[in-house]
Amino acid sequence: MELHDVWFVLIAVLWTGYFFLEGFDFGIGILTRLLARDRPEKRVLINTIGPVWDGNEVWLLTAGGATFAAFPEWYATLFSGFYLPLLLILVCLIIRGVAFEYRAKRPEENWQRNWEQAIFWTSLLPAFLWGVAFGNIVRGVKIDADMEYAGTFFDLLNPYALLGGLVTLTLFTFHGAVFAALKTVGDIRVRARALAFKLGLVTAAVALVFLIWTQAHTGDASSFVAMVVAAVALVGAITAIRAGREGWSFALSGITIAASVAMLFLALFPDVMPSSLDPEWSLTVTNASSSPYTLKIMTWCAAIATPLVLLYQSWTYWVFRKRIGTQHIADAQHHTADAQHHTADAR
């Protein structure tokens, strides 16, 4: 296997890690409006990802940096052609990070409510747009003989890509609901379980159409195997959450994401960005890659740094592994005590 093939696989792994981790991260942000009934419950949901959300985004930075270094032609064409949607994703991620940090800086209800609205929308939009972006990459876009994007923004809004956006949106929300059930206690855990089951059914219906469409369009035997793994894992995740086995469900929903990303990259290979104008103009792992010397240096750096990053992030999740509930929110306890006091006075 050539080094450019190795880095194609490594970039696929980086995107898998990003979607697995940031997937439930986005899902939690969306659930602050779909699941939480009051401010203490919103705080519970946000606190489940509070120690890890910024670490999850490191995978995106690494995937983007690896693409730039290993496949500069791919990076240039992708970011110039998908400039508006990727810029929107970047703005959302910036606002989302600010919202997490500033939401609790002031006690006013309007202040916190506005930042919570920002968390919801800046979680929902990237969850949808990532599916649109990858849907277009796999489907193929207008790339000319100079390896430049020759289409328009509206060319990206085709039915296949929009369906891909719905798949990532529903799958990430389901993944987040399972994570919420895994990380919480009390009534919110029960409701997260019930909502995850419903979201799982919707996700299965949408994802099945998208995966079959992908397989029919560009798939081969290896992508078919990945599609079957994704479908079986998703059914298993839905069954497990129905039975109250949150750990198994979370693991299986993660496998669903990993197998789905694997299917997209397997359907794409050896292209990295197919041209819909002429197959000869497609960007491939060969014509879009850096020099062998550059790839060799990158491989050594990745071999040294990657295990350290994985160990540190695993340790972070281990430290913050315990479940939380509204009883762990100080303001919620005071609110409950005040409510009981007022009830007693009324009597």
Side-chain angles (χ1 to χ4, degrees):
M1 180 181 287
E2 299 289 337
L3 278 179
H4 51 66
D5 296 330
V6 171
W7 274 97
F8 180 83
V9 174
L10 291 177
I11 288 173
V13 171
L14 290 171
W15 280 110
T16 300
Y18 175 67
F19 287 143
F20 175 82
L21 297 172
E22 194 83 312
F24 70 75
D25 203 320
F26 286 143
I28 291 293
I30 295 169
L31 291 172
T32 55
R33 289 196 57 181
L34 299 184
L35 178 63
R37 291 178 174 174
D38 51 31
R39 178 142 294 110
E41 289 193 350
K42 289 182 179 180
R43 289 183 61 184
V44 168
L45 290 176
I46 293 172
N47 286 352
T48 62
I49 60 173
V52 298
W53 68 266
D54 48 355
N56 295 344
E57 292 186 354
V58 171
W59 288 79
L60 172 61
L61 299 176
T62 308
T67 303
F68 171 76
F71 299 99
E73 293 290 349
W74 183 13
Y75 182 92
T77 304
L78 175 64
F79 278 78
S80 60
F82 293 19
Y83 180 80
L84 286 178
L86 292 179
L87 177 62
L88 181 56
I89 290 174
L90 177 60
V91 171
C92 284
L93 294 180
I94 293 173
I95 295 175
R96 189 168 181 265
V98 173
F100 280 131
E101 297 295 337
Y102 277 78
R103 179 188 58 84
K105 294 298 183 182
R106 289 170 55 179
E108 291 87 347
E109 184 174 346
N110 285 341
W111 172 272
Q112 295 189 4
R113 184 188 301 114
N114 289 337
W115 285 119
E116 288 163 0
Q117 289 277 1
I119 290 172
F120 170 77
W121 287 109
T122 56
S123 298
L124 185 147
L125 287 174
F128 175 75
L129 290 174
W130 279 127
V132 174
F134 272 84
N136 277 293
I137 292 174
V138 175
R139 173 181 175 269
V141 292
K142 295 179 179 179
I143 299 175
D144 60 23
D146 297 321
M147 297 185 178
E148 295 180 358
Y149 181 71
T152 66
F153 169 75
F154 295 102
D155 290 329
L156 304 178
L157 304 180
N158 54 82
Y160 176 79
L162 293 175
L163 180 61
L166 289 177
V167 170
T168 52
L169 176 60
T170 54
L171 180 56
F172 291 169
T173 309
F174 167 68
H175 195 43
V178 174
F179 183 77
L182 180 65
K183 290 288 293 180
T184 58
V185 295
D187 181 60
I188 192 171
R189 176 188 178 189
V190 175
R191 286 186 283 111
R193 225 189 267 159
L195 181 59
F197 177 72
K198 296 176 183 177
L199 289 169
L201 296 178
V202 175
T203 302
V206 177
L208 183 62
V209 177
F210 180 76
L211 293 177
I212 292 176
W213 192 346
T214 302
Q215 180 63 26
H217 179 60
T218 58
D220 55 16
S222 58
S223 64
F224 178 77
V225 172
M227 181 186 75
V228 172
V229 171
V232 172
L234 180 56
V235 172
I238 296 170
T239 304
I241 198 65
R242 182 68 169 177
R245 304 296 297 272
E246 295 104 337
W248 279 104
S249 182
F250 183 71
L252 288 168
S253 65
I255 292 174
T256 302
I257 292 174
S260 298
V261 175
M263 180 190 178
L264 294 181
F265 275 86
L266 287 169
L268 192 59
F269 187 81
D271 293 334
V272 295
M273 207 165 177
S275 172
S276 60
L277 298 178
D278 188 334
E280 296 296 325
W281 297 343
S282 297
L283 301 183
T284 68
V285 293
T286 303
N287 64 21
S289 68
S290 294
S291 67
Y293 185 69
T294 300
L295 296 178
K296 184 177 180 180
I297 294 175
M298 289 175 59
T299 303
W300 279 107
C301 293
I304 296 171
T306 302
L308 298 176
V309 173
L310 292 175
L311 285 173
Y312 175 76
Q313 195 159 25
S314 300
W315 176 78
T316 303
Y317 276 92
W318 174 256
V319 170
F320 296 100
R321 66 189 182 279
K322 293 184 179 180
R323 296 176 182 266
I324 61 174
T326 53
Q327 66 269 29
H328 300 115
I329 305 297
D331 291 348
Q333 293 176 349
H334 296 157
H335 177 77
T336 301
D338 290 342
Q340 292 173 347
H341 177 70
H342 291 315
T343 302
D345 288 345
R347 290 177 181 175

